[in-house]
Amino acid sequence: MTATDFLASARRTLQLEIAALEEVTQHLDADFSQACDLILHCSGRVVVTGMGKSGHIANKIAATLASTGTPAFFMHPGEASHGDLGMVTRSDLVVALSNSGETQEVTSLLPQLKRLGIPVVSITGAPTSTLAREASVHLNASISREACPLNLAPTSSTTAALVLGDALAIALLEARGFGPDDFARSHPGGSLGRRLLLRVADVMHKEAAIPQVKSSASLREALLEMTRKGLGFTCILDEQGQLLGVYTDGDLRRTLDQQANLHDLQVAELMTRGGKSIHPEALAAEAVHLMEKNEITALPVTNDRGQVVGALNMHDLLKAGVI
């Protein structure tokens, strides 16, 4: 095959799978709403099961549900028949996947689930199958053909089941009012967790490490403070410790351009009055946004009374992994 052939094959596969999703969209009806309602009012966990390729999709659906506010886990149907069914309690709900709806490892679980009174939401490509008929609610994932040119390998059918699982997870997320803070609590690791969980107070310089001088300080004193603290700026404070302004490396360059007599100047005459600041309880990601929006690299951190309680720069945020 040539490069052109490979590209043509890829485009054909994508087009077939897109067409399959259009079919699944047409199948959506009141059963989907009923499935959402059952899961939303489940007092236990959602147990997702499936065999073979459907099992891989089920595993992913369980992970998506769990990360978006619906407690869920994957149960292998073969292992369930050999003891793992004991993980399922009467307060749980089962989501079962099988394209044919006749997968023996999955359908063999139905009698015991019924005895326990556990609701079953099935996702199949066969609305008249055993699993579809015996489930509390059935979601129709049937498609006209697989993307596989032999119409054999699970391709479009697994995509359809996966997308239905995503649709369930997002509908439930919205119903629960699941927000960024909730998402952060279930994703504490990695850059995503850092962006969503880390506060300015967690990364800012505090107490003696804060670059600060009083408004009566000379420019020389301010420059010495900037050199000692190494953050590229200093805060200018009034007698109550409230922020009056900032003096930065950029301000120094502008001062030098004016060829002023540096020895006779007070920093209050040259500072950027007011300036941008941020609250210690703000998300560190907000500090990044504020810096980028205003094209600055450092920020004073002020409390509700306007008093300086910290300082941070872009390097601190880089080191913390927020950027």
Side-chain angles (χ1 to χ4, degrees):
M1 289 180 68
T2 66
T4 302
D5 294 330
F6 285 129
L7 287 171
S9 175
R11 291 191 179 99
R12 184 170 58 252
T13 298
L14 293 175
Q15 287 163 359
L16 285 169
E17 299 215 10
I18 290 168
L21 294 183
E22 291 288 351
E23 288 184 72
V24 175
T25 302
Q26 297 303 315
H27 298 326
L28 285 175
D29 56 19
D31 287 341
F32 182 85
S33 300
Q34 188 180 348
C36 290
D37 198 56
L38 277 174
I39 297 172
L40 193 60
H41 291 94
C42 172
S43 60
R45 302 151 304 168
V46 174
V47 183
V48 193
T49 191
M51 192 71 187
K53 304 296 188 297
S54 291
H56 295 304
I57 300 300
N59 212 328
K60 194 276 180 184
I61 291 173
T64 302
L65 287 169
S67 70
T68 52
T70 300
F73 66 90
F74 171 74
M75 178 182 69
H76 192 288
E79 297 295 337
S81 295
H82 296 276
D84 280 6
L85 197 57
M87 295 188 292
V88 184
T89 71
R90 293 178 185 273
S91 59
D92 294 338
L93 177 147
V94 170
V95 175
L97 281 72
S98 167
N99 187 44
S100 69
E102 302 293 347
T103 306
Q104 193 273 331
E105 292 89 346
V106 176
T107 58
S108 67
L109 303 178
L110 293 173
Q112 182 62 14
L113 294 174
K114 284 183 175 293
R115 279 195 289 272
L116 292 170
I118 294 171
V120 175
V121 174
S122 66
I123 300 177
T124 84
T128 60
S129 63
T130 301
L131 185 56
R133 291 195 316 270
E134 298 298 324
S136 310
V137 182
H138 173 248
L139 299 182
N140 186 354
S142 60
I143 48 104
S144 298
R145 63 167 291 116
E146 299 286 4
C148 165
L150 303 175
N151 199 29
L152 294 174
T155 46
S156 298
S157 59
T158 48
T159 300
L162 176 63
V163 172
L164 267 178
D166 286 343
L168 280 173
I170 299 306
L172 292 164
L173 175 152
E174 292 172 345
R176 296 182 194 280
F178 191 85
D181 287 345
D182 302 302
F183 201 83
R185 281 190 285 274
S186 61
H187 296 76
S191 60
L192 176 62
R194 285 191 290 273
R195 287 198 304 272
L196 293 172
L197 284 173
L198 211 61
R199 305 280 172 177
V200 168
D202 299 321
V203 295
M204 70 184 189
H205 297 267
K206 305 172 185 176
E207 299 173 351
I210 303 172
Q212 53 187 327
V213 295
K214 293 291 175 55
S215 57
S216 58
S218 67
L219 177 59
R220 179 177 181 278
E221 291 172 320
L223 294 177
L224 287 173
E225 177 71 353
M226 289 168 64
T227 302
R228 280 193 296 267
K229 303 302 169 61
L231 296 184
F233 82 112
T234 187
C235 304
I236 317 301
L237 313 181
D238 66 12
E239 294 303 319
Q240 287 72 46
Q242 290 185 312
L243 182 68
L244 292 176
V246 294
Y247 192 78
T248 69
D249 288 339
D251 292 323
L252 175 59
R253 286 191 293 273
R254 285 185 285 275
T255 301
L256 292 173
D257 286 342
Q258 295 168 6
Q259 298 180 342
N261 184 347
L262 305 185
H263 297 288
D264 299 332
L265 295 173
Q266 284 189 310
V267 70
E269 302 172 40
L270 307 165
M271 70 181 180
T272 299
R273 188 165 293 277
K276 301 296 179 183
S277 63
I278 195 163
H279 194 275
E281 288 306 306
L283 289 173
E286 293 178 52
V288 174
H289 175 70
L290 188 59
M291 289 183 189
E292 290 176 341
K293 180 181 177 182
N294 293 279
E295 299 181 344
I296 55 179
T297 59
L299 279 173
V301 183
T302 55
N303 61 19
D304 294 332
R305 297 185 297 279
Q307 296 170 318
V308 175
V309 294
L312 79 163
N313 66 13
M314 197 67 82
H315 296 295
D316 301 318
L317 298 167
L318 279 166
K319 190 185 300 182
V322 181
I323 302 174

